[in-house]
């Protein structure tokens, strides 16, 4: 079983997701109603988008604790430009994407070139970007009706049979497909896995390790800016009071999805399953009228269980 899970890391999150869905359906038969499933997908879109960038970083044996702060900061940049300065929504989004890339560039330089630990770097930038977002907002929210149609376009409903999704959900799924292709079918993706698996061996093979690390953090920053766009549509405003558990949930989705915290192993499809597991747990526990604090407790237990499973599976790889 351990060898099977080592070769196919997507099996365990699939089993957990199916088991969770069945369990919560038995607890409350409203869980599988199309309206509730649609709500789960819409809620998961934000965490799912952040988890894509987190996956790329974790594949290099790093971690980013600033994902939520970058997203909120970019949200306020877009909102301020479009809602208060009258900048067209498309241009505000482009500037926001550039700001996200710049935030990733800062993290990447400190990790790849200054050689600081990713945990320490992103813990520091978590505070920096959180403070910048609060300073920019002044504690106020910018309503969606002044942001223009483009920034709120991701909230546009899309009917798929009995399900009522949004443009944001579909865009996140397209992003997953694009990143999955880049990681599995391009030389850049192979270099990302090689750097995460063994940086010294990758360097001896001619891979520019620092350049790969920098490109991963910058790309992740752009992904976080995309998540900010989806968040504006989901919340209907640019505010600093949303996605308070984004950091924890994005890491949870990545780890539960089978991506190793030690780098070099994992797939974004597993991350998508992990994000769905997080959404299913939060929704199912809410329907069961479990207190929010106990929901966070359950997510914490999931993280510990997922890391323990990863360690158990990695011992098989080491033995081989």
């Amino acid at each position: 079983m351990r060898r099977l899970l080592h070769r196919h890391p997507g099996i365990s999150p699939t089993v957990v997701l199916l088991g969770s869905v069945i369990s919560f359906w038995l607890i409350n038969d409203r869980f599988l109603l199309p309206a509730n499933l649609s709500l789960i997908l819409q809620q998961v879109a934000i965490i799912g988008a952040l988890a894509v960038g987190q996956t790329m970083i974790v594949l290099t044996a790093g971690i980013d604790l600033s994902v939520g702060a970058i997203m909120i900061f970019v949200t306020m940049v877009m909102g301020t430009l479009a809602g208060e300065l009258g900048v067209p929504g498309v241009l505000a989004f482009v500037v926001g994407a550039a700001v996200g890339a710049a935030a990733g560039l800062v993290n990447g330089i400190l990790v790849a070139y200054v050689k600081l630990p990713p945990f320490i770097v992103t813990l520091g930038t978590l505070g920096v970007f959180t403070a910048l977002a609060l300073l920019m907002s002044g504690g106020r929210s910018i309503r969606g009706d002044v942001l223009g149609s483009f920034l709120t376009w991701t909230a546009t409903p899309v009917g798929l049979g009995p399900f009522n999704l949004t443009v944001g959900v579909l865009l996140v799924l397209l992003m997953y497909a694009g990143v999955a292709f880049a990681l599995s079918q391009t030389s850049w993706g192979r270099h990302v896995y090689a750097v995460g698996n063994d940086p010294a061996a990758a360097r001896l093979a001619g891979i520019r390790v620092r350049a790969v690390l920098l490109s991963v953090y910058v790309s992740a920053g752009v992904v976080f800016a995309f998540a900010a766009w989806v968040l504006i549509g989901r919340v209907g405003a640019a505010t600093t009071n949303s996605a308070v558990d984004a950091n924890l949930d994005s890491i949870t989705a990545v780890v539960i999805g089978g991506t190793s915290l030690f780098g070099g192993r994992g797939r974004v499809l597993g991350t998508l399953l992990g994000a769905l597991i997080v959404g299913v747990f939060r929704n199912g526990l809410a329907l069961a009228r479990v207190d929010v604090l106990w929901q966070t407790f359950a997510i914490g237990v999931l993280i510990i269980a997922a890391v323990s499973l990863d360690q158990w599976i990695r011992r098989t790889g080491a033995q081989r």
Side-chain angles (χ1 to χ4, degrees):
M1 176 62 71
R2 199 192 308 185
R3 292 193 184 96
L4 177 65
L5 293 176
H6 187 271
R7 290 195 302 268
H8 305 285
I11 292 178
S12 53
T14 301
V15 172
V16 172
L17 179 60
L18 292 176
S20 303
V21 169
I22 293 173
S23 299
F24 286 122
W25 174 60
L26 292 175
I27 293 174
N28 192 321
D29 57 6
R30 291 183 299 164
F31 180 80
L32 286 182
L33 292 177
N36 189 59
L37 295 179
S38 300
L39 178 62
I40 292 175
L41 292 175
Q42 293 174 37
Q43 293 172 335
V44 164
I46 309 300
I47 299 304
L50 289 177
V52 172
Q54 189 76 264
T55 299
M56 294 190 291
I57 293 172
V58 172
L59 283 174
T60 65
I63 196 167
D64 195 337
L65 301 179
S66 65
V67 297
I70 293 176
M71 178 181 67
I72 296 300
F73 178 46
V74 173
T75 296
M76 296 314 304
V77 169
M78 293 180 183
T80 301
L81 290 174
E84 297 186 351
L85 301 180
V87 175
V90 176
L91 181 57
F93 172 75
V94 172
V95 174
V99 170
L105 181 66
V106 171
N107 286 339
I109 289 175
L110 293 175
V111 171
Y113 290 89
V114 185
K115 298 187 181 301
L116 296 177
F119 181 90
I120 300 301
V121 169
T122 57
L123 181 61
T125 54
L126 164 64
V128 170
F129 295 127
T130 298
L132 288 175
L134 291 172
L135 287 171
M136 177 170 288
S137 69
R140 68 189 185 284
S141 299
I142 303 173
R143 302 189 318 275
D145 57 357
V146 300
L147 294 176
S149 59
F150 182 80
L151 290 184
T152 57
W153 178 61
T154 54
T156 304
V158 178
L160 293 177
F163 299 99
N164 186 25
L165 305 180
T166 63
V167 170
V169 174
L170 300 181
L171 290 177
V172 169
L173 292 176
L174 287 176
M175 183 176 65
Y176 266 90
V179 174
F181 177 83
L183 287 174
S184 63
Q185 303 298 323
T186 67
S187 58
W188 175 79
R190 290 189 289 272
H191 292 172
V192 170
Y193 280 100
V195 169
N197 191 51
D198 192 333
R203 188 176 291 106
L204 292 174
I207 297 174
R208 299 169 60 192
V209 173
R210 291 187 297 183
V212 171
L213 284 173
L214 187 62
S215 69
V216 166
Y217 279 92
V218 172
S219 301
V222 175
V223 170
F224 302 150
F226 178 85
W229 183 31
V230 178
L231 178 64
I232 290 175
R234 172 64 184 161
V235 177
T239 176
T240 58
N241 298 322
S242 55
V244 292
D245 295 321
N247 291 331
L248 174 64
D249 285 352
S250 70
I251 295 172
T252 304
V254 172
V255 176
I256 294 177
T259 299
S260 173
L261 285 174
F262 300 95
R265 186 176 68 88
R267 296 287 186 273
V268 291
L269 176 59
T271 297
L272 178 60
L273 294 174
L276 289 172
I277 290 171
V278 173
V280 164
F281 258 75
R282 289 199 178 278
N283 181 272
L285 292 173
L287 285 179
R289 297 183 179 180
V290 175
D291 187 88
V292 175
L293 294 177
W294 286 109
Q295 295 178 31
T296 303
F297 176 87
I299 298 299
V301 171
L302 274 178
I303 294 177
I304 295 174
V307 173
S308 300
L309 178 63
D310 176 57
Q311 288 278 59
W312 180 66
I313 294 172
R314 280 179 64 85
R315 282 197 291 270
T316 291
Q319 292 169 3
R320 294 179 65 187

